[in-house]
Amino acid sequence: MMPLLVFRERVKNIYHRYDIYIKPVIKFIFAFIAFQMINREIGYDTRLESLPVILGLSLLSAITPSAVMVLLATGVAILHVYVASPILSIIIVVLLLIIYFLFARFTPHLGYVLLAVPILYFLKVPYLMPILLGIVSTPIAIIPMACGVVVYYIIRVIQTAVTMQVNTTVDDILQLYTYVMDSIIDNKQMILSIVIFALILIVVYYVRKLKFDYAFEISIAAGALASILGFLISDFLFGQSDKILSMILGTLASAAIVYIIQFFQLTLDYSGVENVQFEDDVYYYYVKAVPKVTVTTPQMKVKHINTKNAEKGSVNAAQNQDDLEDDEEYDDEDDGYSDN
Protein backbone atom coordinates (compact mmCIF):
# COMPACT_ATOMS: atom_id res chain seq x y z
CA MET A 1 0.00 0.00 0.00
CA MET A 2 2.82 2.40 0.84
CA PRO A 3 4.31 2.35 -2.70
CA LEU A 4 0.88 3.27 -4.08
CA LEU A 5 0.55 6.15 -1.64
CA VAL A 6 4.02 7.40 -2.54
CA PHE A 7 3.15 7.16 -6.23
CA ARG A 8 -0.09 9.05 -5.61
CA GLU A 9 1.73 11.85 -3.80
CA ARG A 10 4.25 12.15 -6.61
CA VAL A 11 1.49 12.35 -9.21
CA LYS A 12 -0.39 14.97 -7.18
CA ASN A 13 2.77 17.01 -6.66
CA ILE A 14 3.51 16.98 -10.37
CA TYR A 15 -0.08 17.97 -11.16
CA HIS A 16 -0.13 20.84 -8.66
CA ARG A 17 3.23 22.08 -9.86
CA TYR A 18 2.39 22.06 -13.57
CA ASP A 19 -1.42 22.32 -13.54
CA ILE A 20 -1.28 25.50 -15.61
CA TYR A 21 0.05 23.36 -18.47
CA ILE A 22 -1.63 20.04 -17.69
CA LYS A 23 -5.21 21.37 -17.66
CA PRO A 24 -5.12 22.79 -21.22
CA VAL A 25 -3.52 19.58 -22.46
CA ILE A 26 -6.29 17.49 -20.88
CA LYS A 27 -8.94 19.80 -22.35
CA PHE A 28 -7.28 19.55 -25.76
CA ILE A 29 -7.24 15.74 -25.66
CA PHE A 30 -10.85 15.59 -24.49
CA ALA A 31 -12.00 17.99 -27.22
CA PHE A 32 -10.05 16.06 -29.84
CA ILE A 33 -11.79 12.83 -28.81
CA ALA A 34 -15.19 14.56 -28.82
CA PHE A 35 -14.77 15.98 -32.34
CA GLN A 36 -13.43 12.68 -33.60
CA MET A 37 -16.46 10.91 -32.16
CA ILE A 38 -18.80 13.34 -33.92
CA ASN A 39 -16.98 12.85 -37.21
CA ARG A 40 -17.07 9.08 -36.86
CA GLU A 41 -20.76 8.81 -36.01
CA ILE A 42 -22.28 11.53 -38.23
CA GLY A 43 -19.37 12.54 -40.44
CA TYR A 44 -21.23 13.58 -43.60
CA ASP A 45 -19.01 16.57 -44.41
CA THR A 46 -15.48 15.43 -45.28
CA ARG A 47 -14.14 18.96 -44.90
CA LEU A 48 -14.85 18.89 -41.17
CA GLU A 49 -13.03 15.58 -40.85
CA SER A 50 -9.69 17.02 -41.90
CA LEU A 51 -6.98 16.95 -39.24
CA PRO A 52 -6.20 20.71 -39.32
CA VAL A 53 -9.85 21.53 -38.64
CA ILE A 54 -10.05 19.07 -35.74
CA LEU A 55 -6.78 20.31 -34.26
CA GLY A 56 -7.86 23.93 -34.59
CA LEU A 57 -11.20 23.30 -32.88
CA SER A 58 -9.50 21.27 -30.15
CA LEU A 59 -6.94 24.01 -29.55
CA LEU A 60 -9.68 26.62 -29.30
CA SER A 61 -11.55 24.41 -26.85
CA ALA A 62 -8.41 24.00 -24.74
CA ILE A 63 -8.13 27.72 -24.02
CA THR A 64 -11.82 28.52 -23.56
CA PRO A 65 -14.50 27.50 -21.04
CA SER A 66 -16.27 24.17 -21.42
CA ALA A 67 -19.46 25.90 -22.58
CA VAL A 68 -17.59 27.07 -25.68
CA MET A 69 -16.48 23.51 -26.36
CA VAL A 70 -20.10 22.36 -26.22
CA LEU A 71 -21.12 25.16 -28.59
CA LEU A 72 -18.39 24.21 -31.07
CA ALA A 73 -19.39 20.55 -30.92
CA THR A 74 -23.00 21.55 -31.53
CA GLY A 75 -22.00 23.60 -34.56
CA VAL A 76 -19.93 20.78 -36.03
CA ALA A 77 -22.80 18.31 -35.59
CA ILE A 78 -25.27 20.68 -37.25
CA LEU A 79 -22.96 21.28 -40.22
CA HIS A 80 -22.58 17.54 -40.73
CA VAL A 81 -26.34 17.03 -40.70
CA TYR A 82 -26.88 19.99 -43.05
CA VAL A 83 -24.71 18.36 -45.71
CA ALA A 84 -26.76 15.16 -45.49
CA SER A 85 -30.21 16.74 -45.11
CA PRO A 86 -30.83 20.51 -44.84
CA ILE A 87 -34.38 19.95 -43.64
CA LEU A 88 -33.27 17.53 -40.93
CA SER A 89 -30.59 19.99 -39.83
CA ILE A 90 -33.25 22.60 -39.03
CA ILE A 91 -34.99 20.18 -36.69
CA ILE A 92 -31.70 19.18 -35.08
CA VAL A 93 -30.74 22.84 -34.62
CA VAL A 94 -33.89 23.43 -32.58
CA LEU A 95 -33.33 20.35 -30.42
CA LEU A 96 -29.64 20.99 -29.78
CA LEU A 97 -30.18 24.67 -29.02
CA ILE A 98 -32.83 23.77 -26.44
CA ILE A 99 -30.38 21.37 -24.82
CA TYR A 100 -27.55 23.91 -24.97
CA PHE A 101 -29.52 26.74 -23.37
CA LEU A 102 -30.84 24.41 -20.67
CA PHE A 103 -27.32 23.30 -19.87
CA ALA A 104 -25.83 26.80 -20.12
CA ARG A 105 -28.51 28.25 -17.86
CA PHE A 106 -27.93 25.96 -14.88
CA THR A 107 -24.55 24.23 -15.21
CA PRO A 108 -22.30 26.03 -17.71
CA HIS A 109 -19.18 24.78 -15.90
CA LEU A 110 -20.13 21.13 -16.48
CA GLY A 111 -19.87 21.09 -20.24
CA TYR A 112 -17.50 18.15 -20.09
CA VAL A 113 -20.29 16.04 -18.63
CA LEU A 114 -22.61 16.72 -21.55
CA LEU A 115 -19.95 15.69 -24.07
CA ALA A 116 -18.54 12.82 -22.02
CA VAL A 117 -21.84 10.94 -21.73
CA PRO A 118 -22.19 10.21 -25.49
CA ILE A 119 -18.50 9.31 -25.66
CA LEU A 120 -18.90 6.85 -22.79
CA TYR A 121 -21.99 5.40 -24.46
CA PHE A 122 -19.99 4.61 -27.56
CA LEU A 123 -17.25 3.14 -25.34
CA LYS A 124 -19.88 0.89 -23.68
CA VAL A 125 -19.28 2.35 -20.19
CA PRO A 126 -21.91 5.09 -19.72
CA TYR A 127 -22.42 3.89 -16.12
CA LEU A 128 -19.15 5.60 -15.21
CA MET A 129 -20.62 9.09 -15.34
CA PRO A 130 -23.40 8.91 -12.70
CA ILE A 131 -21.14 7.09 -10.23
CA LEU A 132 -18.34 9.59 -10.74
CA LEU A 133 -20.63 12.61 -10.49
CA GLY A 134 -22.07 11.25 -7.25
CA ILE A 135 -18.54 11.30 -5.82
CA VAL A 136 -17.22 14.61 -7.12
CA SER A 137 -20.34 16.71 -7.71
CA THR A 138 -23.87 17.37 -6.46
CA PRO A 139 -27.36 16.40 -7.72
CA ILE A 140 -27.39 19.50 -9.94
CA ALA A 141 -25.12 17.51 -12.27
CA ILE A 142 -28.20 15.50 -13.26
CA ILE A 143 -29.02 18.29 -15.75
CA PRO A 144 -25.93 18.04 -17.99
CA MET A 145 -25.89 14.27 -17.57
CA ALA A 146 -29.49 14.00 -18.78
CA CYS A 147 -28.68 16.36 -21.66
CA GLY A 148 -25.79 14.09 -22.60
CA VAL A 149 -28.10 11.07 -22.71
CA VAL A 150 -30.51 12.97 -24.97
CA VAL A 151 -27.62 13.98 -27.26
CA TYR A 152 -26.59 10.34 -27.60
CA TYR A 153 -30.09 9.31 -28.67
CA ILE A 154 -30.30 12.30 -31.03
CA ILE A 155 -27.15 11.03 -32.75
CA ARG A 156 -28.77 7.63 -33.15
CA VAL A 157 -31.89 9.25 -34.60
CA ILE A 158 -29.78 11.26 -37.05
CA GLN A 159 -28.08 8.09 -38.28
CA THR A 160 -31.48 6.66 -39.19
CA ALA A 161 -33.20 9.84 -40.37
CA VAL A 162 -30.57 10.77 -42.96
CA THR A 163 -31.39 7.58 -44.85
CA MET A 164 -34.98 8.69 -45.35
CA GLN A 165 -35.77 10.12 -48.77
CA VAL A 166 -37.22 13.55 -48.04
CA ASN A 167 -38.40 16.00 -50.67
CA THR A 168 -39.35 19.62 -50.15
CA THR A 169 -43.04 18.84 -50.02
CA VAL A 170 -44.94 19.65 -46.86
CA ASP A 171 -45.96 16.03 -46.33
CA ASP A 172 -42.37 14.78 -46.46
CA ILE A 173 -41.17 17.48 -44.10
CA LEU A 174 -43.96 16.71 -41.64
CA GLN A 175 -43.17 13.02 -41.88
CA LEU A 176 -39.51 13.64 -41.06
CA TYR A 177 -40.41 16.01 -38.24
CA THR A 178 -42.86 13.51 -36.77
CA TYR A 179 -40.31 10.72 -36.95
CA VAL A 180 -37.59 12.71 -35.21
CA MET A 181 -39.83 14.07 -32.46
CA ASP A 182 -41.45 10.71 -31.79
CA SER A 183 -38.03 9.06 -31.65
CA ILE A 184 -36.94 11.55 -28.98
CA ILE A 185 -40.03 12.40 -26.95
CA ASP A 186 -41.61 8.93 -26.99
CA ASN A 187 -38.33 7.08 -26.48
CA LYS A 188 -39.08 5.17 -23.29
CA GLN A 189 -35.64 3.62 -23.15
CA MET A 190 -34.01 7.06 -23.17
CA ILE A 191 -36.33 8.33 -20.45
CA LEU A 192 -35.73 5.27 -18.30
CA SER A 193 -31.96 5.62 -18.77
CA ILE A 194 -32.12 9.22 -17.55
CA VAL A 195 -34.14 8.15 -14.51
CA ILE A 196 -31.70 5.34 -13.68
CA PHE A 197 -28.70 7.62 -14.10
CA ALA A 198 -30.30 10.18 -11.80
CA LEU A 199 -31.03 7.53 -9.17
CA ILE A 200 -27.45 6.23 -9.33
CA LEU A 201 -26.06 9.72 -8.83
CA ILE A 202 -28.39 10.42 -5.91
CA VAL A 203 -27.59 7.09 -4.24
CA VAL A 204 -23.84 7.65 -4.50
CA TYR A 205 -24.11 11.27 -3.37
CA TYR A 206 -26.18 10.62 -0.25
CA VAL A 207 -24.35 7.45 0.78
CA ARG A 208 -21.00 9.24 0.69
CA LYS A 209 -22.51 11.96 2.88
CA LEU A 210 -23.39 9.48 5.63
CA LYS A 211 -21.29 9.53 8.80
CA PHE A 212 -19.68 6.10 8.87
CA ASP A 213 -16.29 4.71 7.97
CA TYR A 214 -15.42 4.09 4.33
CA ALA A 215 -18.47 6.04 3.15
CA PHE A 216 -16.82 6.94 -0.17
CA GLU A 217 -15.89 3.36 -1.00
CA ILE A 218 -19.30 2.03 0.05
CA SER A 219 -21.06 4.71 -2.00
CA ILE A 220 -19.22 3.56 -5.13
CA ALA A 221 -20.31 -0.03 -4.49
CA ALA A 222 -23.88 1.15 -3.82
CA GLY A 223 -23.90 3.09 -7.09
CA ALA A 224 -22.64 0.06 -9.01
CA LEU A 225 -25.33 -2.11 -7.43
CA ALA A 226 -28.03 0.46 -8.25
CA SER A 227 -26.76 0.60 -11.83
CA ILE A 228 -26.86 -3.17 -12.26
CA LEU A 229 -30.35 -3.47 -10.80
CA GLY A 230 -31.71 -0.50 -12.74
CA PHE A 231 -30.38 -1.50 -16.14
CA LEU A 232 -31.21 -5.14 -15.47
CA ILE A 233 -34.85 -4.08 -15.24
CA SER A 234 -34.44 -1.89 -18.32
CA ASP A 235 -32.93 -4.70 -20.39
CA PHE A 236 -35.74 -7.07 -19.45
CA LEU A 237 -38.42 -4.49 -20.20
CA PHE A 238 -37.06 -3.74 -23.68
CA GLY A 239 -36.11 -7.32 -24.53
CA GLN A 240 -32.35 -6.75 -24.52
CA SER A 241 -31.29 -9.69 -22.40
CA ASP A 242 -28.27 -10.20 -24.65
CA LYS A 243 -26.80 -6.96 -23.27
CA ILE A 244 -26.96 -7.98 -19.60
CA LEU A 245 -23.46 -9.43 -19.42
CA SER A 246 -21.84 -6.45 -21.11
CA MET A 247 -23.83 -4.14 -18.84
CA ILE A 248 -22.60 -5.89 -15.69
CA LEU A 249 -19.00 -5.92 -16.89
CA GLY A 250 -19.23 -2.27 -17.92
CA THR A 251 -20.64 -1.31 -14.53
CA LEU A 252 -17.90 -3.16 -12.65
CA ALA A 253 -15.24 -1.54 -14.85
CA SER A 254 -16.83 1.87 -14.25
CA ALA A 255 -16.83 1.33 -10.48
CA ALA A 256 -13.16 0.33 -10.58
CA ILE A 257 -12.24 3.46 -12.56
CA VAL A 258 -14.15 5.68 -10.13
CA TYR A 259 -12.42 4.00 -7.19
CA ILE A 260 -9.03 4.77 -8.75
CA ILE A 261 -10.06 8.39 -9.27
CA GLN A 262 -11.23 8.58 -5.66
CA PHE A 263 -7.94 7.09 -4.49
CA PHE A 264 -6.01 9.90 -6.15
CA GLN A 265 -8.47 12.55 -5.03
CA LEU A 266 -8.91 11.62 -1.36
CA THR A 267 -7.79 8.77 0.89
CA LEU A 268 -8.79 8.75 4.56
CA ASP A 269 -7.15 7.02 7.52
CA TYR A 270 -10.06 5.66 9.54
CA SER A 271 -7.72 4.18 12.14
CA GLY A 272 -7.03 7.71 13.37
CA VAL A 273 -10.63 8.88 13.77
CA GLU A 274 -11.16 11.38 16.59
CA ASN A 275 -14.48 12.44 18.10
CA VAL A 276 -14.31 15.98 19.41
CA GLN A 277 -16.86 17.83 21.53
CA PHE A 278 -16.93 21.55 22.18
CA GLU A 279 -19.45 24.32 22.70
CA ASP A 280 -20.07 28.00 22.24
CA ASP A 281 -22.76 30.34 23.51
CA VAL A 282 -25.43 28.87 21.24
CA TYR A 283 -24.54 25.27 20.31
CA TYR A 284 -22.85 22.17 21.64
CA TYR A 285 -20.86 20.46 18.88
CA TYR A 286 -20.08 16.80 18.22
CA VAL A 287 -17.38 16.58 15.56
CA LYS A 288 -15.91 13.49 13.96
CA ALA A 289 -12.47 14.18 12.51
CA VAL A 290 -11.01 11.72 10.01
CA PRO A 291 -7.37 12.38 9.04
CA LYS A 292 -6.26 12.19 5.44
CA VAL A 293 -3.63 9.67 4.46
CA THR A 294 -0.51 11.63 3.68
CA VAL A 295 2.97 10.35 3.06
CA THR A 296 6.22 12.14 2.49
CA THR A 297 7.77 11.24 -0.80
CA PRO A 298 11.40 10.19 -0.40
CA GLN A 299 13.81 12.83 -1.60
CA MET A 300 16.70 11.65 -3.70
CA LYS A 301 19.95 13.43 -2.87
CA VAL A 302 22.46 13.40 -5.68
CA LYS A 303 26.06 14.10 -4.73
CA HIS A 304 27.99 15.70 -7.56
CA ILE A 305 31.67 14.81 -7.72
CA ASN A 306 33.89 17.10 -9.75
CA THR A 307 36.66 14.98 -11.24
CA LYS A 308 38.92 17.96 -11.74
CA ASN A 309 38.60 18.98 -8.11
CA ALA A 310 39.13 15.39 -7.05
CA GLU A 311 42.34 15.13 -9.08
CA LYS A 312 43.49 18.49 -7.76
CA GLY A 313 42.75 17.34 -4.22
CA SER A 314 44.78 14.17 -4.77
CA VAL A 315 47.74 16.19 -6.05
CA ASN A 316 47.53 18.55 -3.07
CA ALA A 317 47.35 15.62 -0.67
CA ALA A 318 50.42 14.03 -2.25
CA GLN A 319 52.27 17.33 -2.11
CA ASN A 320 51.37 17.79 1.55
CA GLN A 321 52.60 14.29 2.28
CA ASP A 322 55.94 15.07 0.59
CA ASP A 323 56.26 18.30 2.55
CA LEU A 324 55.58 16.43 5.77
CA GLU A 325 58.30 13.89 5.00
CA ASP A 326 60.77 16.69 4.20
CA ASP A 327 59.97 18.36 7.51
CA GLU A 328 60.59 15.11 9.36
CA GLU A 329 63.97 14.67 7.64
CA TYR A 330 64.88 18.26 8.48
CA ASP A 331 63.97 17.69 12.14
CA ASP A 332 66.16 14.57 12.24
CA GLU A 333 69.12 16.51 10.86
CA ASP A 334 68.62 19.23 13.49
CA ASP A 335 68.61 16.60 16.22
CA GLY A 336 71.89 15.21 14.88
CA TYR A 337 73.59 18.60 14.99
CA SER A 338 72.38 19.28 18.50
CA ASP A 339 73.85 15.96 19.74
CA ASN A 340 77.24 16.91 18.38
Side-chain angles (χ1 to χ4, degrees):
M1 186 64 178
M2 185 57 65
L4 290 177
L5 293 174
V6 172
F7 175 73
R8 185 196 69 165
E9 289 301 319
R10 286 177 175 172
V11 172
K12 291 177 67 175
N13 290 337
I14 293 174
Y15 179 80
H16 290 309
R17 184 180 302 175
Y18 303 105
D19 62 337
I20 191 174
Y21 307 108
I22 295 176
K23 287 181 179 179
V25 171
I26 294 175
K27 291 173 65 176
F28 176 84
I29 295 174
F30 180 82
F32 185 84
I33 294 173
F35 291 122
Q36 283 284 62
M37 183 271 295
I38 294 173
N39 291 333
R40 189 189 70 176
E41 299 299 328
I42 53 173
Y44 304 113
D45 189 347
T46 56
R47 294 170 297 180
L48 296 175
E49 295 180 354
S50 62
L51 186 60
V53 173
I54 298 175
L55 292 177
L57 293 173
S58 302
L59 182 60
L60 181 60
S61 301
I63 59 177
T64 54
S66 61
V68 176
M69 184 190 303
V70 175
L71 186 60
L72 292 175
T74 302
V76 170
I78 292 172
L79 290 175
H80 276 303
V81 178
Y82 179 80
V83 171
S85 174
I87 298 175
L88 177 61
S89 67
I90 297 174
I91 303 173
I92 299 302
V93 164
V94 176
L95 292 175
L96 292 181
L97 286 180
I98 292 174
I99 293 174
Y100 178 80
F101 288 125
L102 177 64
F103 141 78
R105 173 64 179 83
F106 296 101
T107 56
H109 59 288
L110 294 177
Y112 306 107
V113 175
L114 193 152
L115 293 177
V117 171
I119 294 174
L120 293 175
Y121 258 109
F122 291 117
L123 295 176
K124 309 301 181 183
V125 285
Y127 328 99
L128 170 66
M129 189 53 62
I131 300 176
L132 179 60
L133 291 176
I135 290 292
V136 302
S137 187
T138 61
I140 192 65
I142 292 175
I143 295 176
M145 183 176 62
C147 292
V149 175
V150 176
V151 168
Y152 167 72
Y153 280 93
I154 287 177
I155 293 175
R156 293 182 57 179
V157 170
I158 291 173
Q159 293 171 339
T160 305
V162 293
T163 61
M164 300 174 61
Q165 297 294 329
V166 179
N167 298 320
T168 56
T169 61
V170 176
D171 291 338
D172 290 337
I173 295 174
L174 288 177
Q175 181 183 0
L176 180 62
Y177 173 80
T178 303
Y179 171 78
V180 173
M181 298 308 296
D182 289 344
S183 299
I184 299 299
I185 298 176
D186 294 336
N187 193 326
K188 296 180 181 179
Q189 187 175 9
M190 180 191 73
I191 296 173
L192 185 57
S193 297
I194 293 174
V195 172
I196 295 173
F197 276 14
L199 289 176
I200 296 170
L201 190 153
I202 292 172
V203 167
V204 176
Y205 176 77
Y206 282 104
V207 171
R208 77 172 173 89
K209 287 290 185 180
L210 296 178
K211 299 177 178 61
F212 55 79
D213 294 352
Y214 302 100
F216 285 92
E217 291 78 3
I218 294 174
S219 67
I220 295 173
L225 180 61
S227 175
I228 292 174
L229 293 177
F231 283 101
L232 194 63
I233 296 173
S234 174
D235 290 339
F236 278 122
L237 287 177
F238 296 103
Q240 298 177 336
S241 56
D242 56 321
K243 296 183 178 180
I244 292 177
L245 180 59
S246 62
M247 179 270 295
I248 295 175
L249 294 177
T251 301
L252 295 178
S254 301
I257 295 172
V258 174
Y259 180 80
I260 294 173
I261 295 173
Q262 172 61 22
F263 173 77
F264 280 93
Q265 180 190 20
L266 177 66
T267 304
L268 300 178
D269 181 12
Y270 290 98
S271 62
V273 174
E274 295 183 6
N275 294 297
V276 183
Q277 302 178 20
F278 58 93
E279 62 178 309
D280 58 16
D281 295 336
V282 182
Y283 295 101
Y284 192 88
Y285 299 92
Y286 295 88
V287 179
K288 180 179 180 180
V290 184
K292 296 180 181 179
V293 176
T294 57
V295 295
T296 303
T297 56
Q299 300 294 329
M300 297 179 62
K301 294 183 178 180
V302 180
K303 185 177 181 180
H304 297 280
I305 300 176
N306 193 323
T307 56
K308 293 183 178 180
N309 292 336
E311 293 175 356
K312 184 177 180 180
S314 300
V315 173
N316 292 335
Q319 185 176 358
N320 292 335
Q321 183 66 25
D322 293 339
D323 293 341
L324 181 60
E325 292 177 356
D326 293 340
D327 291 340
E328 290 177 353
E329 292 177 358
Y330 181 76
D331 291 340
D332 292 340
E333 292 177 358
D334 289 343
D335 292 340
Y337 287 129
S338 59
D339 291 339
N340 293 330

PDB file of all heavy atoms in Angstrom, residues 135-146:
ATOM      1  N   ILE A 135     -19.712  11.146  -6.686  1.00  0.00           N
ATOM      2  CA  ILE A 135     -18.544  11.297  -5.818  1.00  0.00           C
ATOM      3  C   ILE A 135     -18.009  12.722  -5.830  1.00  0.00           C
ATOM      4  O   ILE A 135     -17.662  13.279  -4.781  1.00  0.00           O
ATOM      5  CB  ILE A 135     -17.432  10.313  -6.245  1.00  0.00           C
ATOM      6  CG1 ILE A 135     -17.848   8.871  -5.921  1.00  0.00           C
ATOM      7  CG2 ILE A 135     -16.108  10.637  -5.562  1.00  0.00           C
ATOM      8  CD1 ILE A 135     -17.920   8.558  -4.444  1.00  0.00           C
ATOM      9  N   VAL A 136     -17.929  13.332  -6.999  1.00  0.00           N
ATOM     10  CA  VAL A 136     -17.221  14.611  -7.123  1.00  0.00           C
ATOM     11  C   VAL A 136     -18.144  15.810  -7.283  1.00  0.00           C
ATOM     12  O   VAL A 136     -17.670  16.945  -7.246  1.00  0.00           O
ATOM     13  CB  VAL A 136     -16.250  14.569  -8.322  1.00  0.00           C
ATOM     14  CG1 VAL A 136     -15.253  13.446  -8.170  1.00  0.00           C
ATOM     15  CG2 VAL A 136     -17.012  14.425  -9.643  1.00  0.00           C
ATOM     16  N   SER A 137     -19.452  15.586  -7.452  1.00  0.00           N
ATOM     17  CA  SER A 137     -20.344  16.713  -7.713  1.00  0.00           C
ATOM     18  C   SER A 137     -21.575  16.628  -6.816  1.00  0.00           C
ATOM     19  O   SER A 137     -21.569  15.940  -5.789  1.00  0.00           O
ATOM     20  CB  SER A 137     -20.740  16.732  -9.196  1.00  0.00           C
ATOM     21  OG  SER A 137     -21.468  17.899  -9.511  1.00  0.00           O
ATOM     22  N   THR A 138     -22.616  17.319  -7.211  1.00  0.00           N
ATOM     23  CA  THR A 138     -23.874  17.375  -6.465  1.00  0.00           C
ATOM     24  C   THR A 138     -25.022  16.969  -7.393  1.00  0.00           C
ATOM     25  O   THR A 138     -24.819  16.833  -8.610  1.00  0.00           O
ATOM     26  CB  THR A 138     -24.117  18.797  -5.928  1.00  0.00           C
ATOM     27  OG1 THR A 138     -24.206  19.707  -7.037  1.00  0.00           O
ATOM     28  CG2 THR A 138     -22.976  19.233  -5.008  1.00  0.00           C
ATOM     29  N   PRO A 139     -26.232  16.795  -6.857  1.00  0.00           N
ATOM     30  CA  PRO A 139     -27.359  16.397  -7.719  1.00  0.00           C
ATOM     31  C   PRO A 139     -27.667  17.353  -8.865  1.00  0.00           C
ATOM     32  O   PRO A 139     -28.353  16.958  -9.813  1.00  0.00           O
ATOM     33  CB  PRO A 139     -28.529  16.318  -6.730  1.00  0.00           C
ATOM     34  CG  PRO A 139     -27.897  15.935  -5.438  1.00  0.00           C
ATOM     35  CD  PRO A 139     -26.587  16.671  -5.421  1.00  0.00           C
ATOM     36  N   ILE A 140     -27.159  18.586  -8.827  1.00  0.00           N
ATOM     37  CA  ILE A 140     -27.392  19.500  -9.944  1.00  0.00           C
ATOM     38  C   ILE A 140     -26.762  18.973 -11.224  1.00  0.00           C
ATOM     39  O   ILE A 140     -27.169  19.344 -12.339  1.00  0.00           O
ATOM     40  CB  ILE A 140     -26.831  20.907  -9.608  1.00  0.00           C
ATOM     41  CG1 ILE A 140     -27.326  21.955 -10.615  1.00  0.00           C
ATOM     42  CG2 ILE A 140     -25.326  20.887  -9.582  1.00  0.00           C
ATOM     43  CD1 ILE A 140     -28.794  22.190 -10.595  1.00  0.00           C
ATOM     44  N   ALA A 141     -25.782  18.085 -11.092  1.00  0.00           N
ATOM     45  CA  ALA A 141     -25.120  17.508 -12.267  1.00  0.00           C
ATOM     46  C   ALA A 141     -26.047  16.592 -13.054  1.00  0.00           C
ATOM     47  O   ALA A 141     -25.691  16.155 -14.156  1.00  0.00           O
ATOM     48  CB  ALA A 141     -23.874  16.736 -11.839  1.00  0.00           C
ATOM     49  N   ILE A 142     -27.219  16.302 -12.512  1.00  0.00           N
ATOM     50  CA  ILE A 142     -28.198  15.502 -13.261  1.00  0.00           C
ATOM     51  C   ILE A 142     -28.585  16.204 -14.562  1.00  0.00           C
ATOM     52  O   ILE A 142     -28.840  15.552 -15.583  1.00  0.00           O
ATOM     53  CB  ILE A 142     -29.444  15.241 -12.390  1.00  0.00           C
ATOM     54  CG1 ILE A 142     -29.085  14.311 -11.228  1.00  0.00           C
ATOM     55  CG2 ILE A 142     -30.577  14.640 -13.215  1.00  0.00           C
ATOM     56  CD1 ILE A 142     -30.220  14.089 -10.251  1.00  0.00           C
ATOM     57  N   ILE A 143     -28.597  17.538 -14.551  1.00  0.00           N
ATOM     58  CA  ILE A 143     -29.024  18.289 -15.746  1.00  0.00           C
ATOM     59  C   ILE A 143     -28.093  18.046 -16.928  1.00  0.00           C
ATOM     60  O   ILE A 143     -28.548  17.607 -18.001  1.00  0.00           O
ATOM     61  CB  ILE A 143     -29.144  19.789 -15.415  1.00  0.00           C
ATOM     62  CG1 ILE A 143     -30.263  20.015 -14.401  1.00  0.00           C
ATOM     63  CG2 ILE A 143     -29.397  20.601 -16.682  1.00  0.00           C
ATOM     64  CD1 ILE A 143     -30.386  21.448 -13.932  1.00  0.00           C
ATOM     65  N   PRO A 144     -26.783  18.314 -16.824  1.00  0.00           N
ATOM     66  CA  PRO A 144     -25.931  18.043 -17.993  1.00  0.00           C
ATOM     67  C   PRO A 144     -25.829  16.560 -18.319  1.00  0.00           C
ATOM     68  O   PRO A 144     -25.668  16.197 -19.489  1.00  0.00           O
ATOM     69  CB  PRO A 144     -24.571  18.619 -17.575  1.00  0.00           C
ATOM     70  CG  PRO A 144     -24.589  18.616 -16.095  1.00  0.00           C
ATOM     71  CD  PRO A 144     -26.009  18.892 -15.710  1.00  0.00           C
ATOM     72  N   MET A 145     -25.935  15.703 -17.300  1.00  0.00           N
ATOM     73  CA  MET A 145     -25.888  14.268 -17.571  1.00  0.00           C
ATOM     74  C   MET A 145     -27.102  13.830 -18.389  1.00  0.00           C
ATOM     75  O   MET A 145     -26.973  13.071 -19.360  1.00  0.00           O
ATOM     76  CB  MET A 145     -25.823  13.492 -16.254  1.00  0.00           C
ATOM     77  CG  MET A 145     -25.699  11.986 -16.422  1.00  0.00           C
ATOM     78  SD  MET A 145     -25.515  11.146 -14.831  1.00  0.00           S
ATOM     79  CE  MET A 145     -27.081  11.578 -14.046  1.00  0.00           C
ATOM     80  N   ALA A 146     -28.282  14.322 -18.017  1.00  0.00           N
ATOM     81  CA  ALA A 146     -29.488  14.003 -18.778  1.00  0.00           C
ATOM     82  C   ALA A 146     -29.406  14.567 -20.195  1.00  0.00           C
ATOM     83  O   ALA A 146     -29.812  13.912 -21.167  1.00  0.00           O
ATOM     84  CB  ALA A 146     -30.718  14.548 -18.054  1.00  0.00           C
TER      85      ALA A 146
END
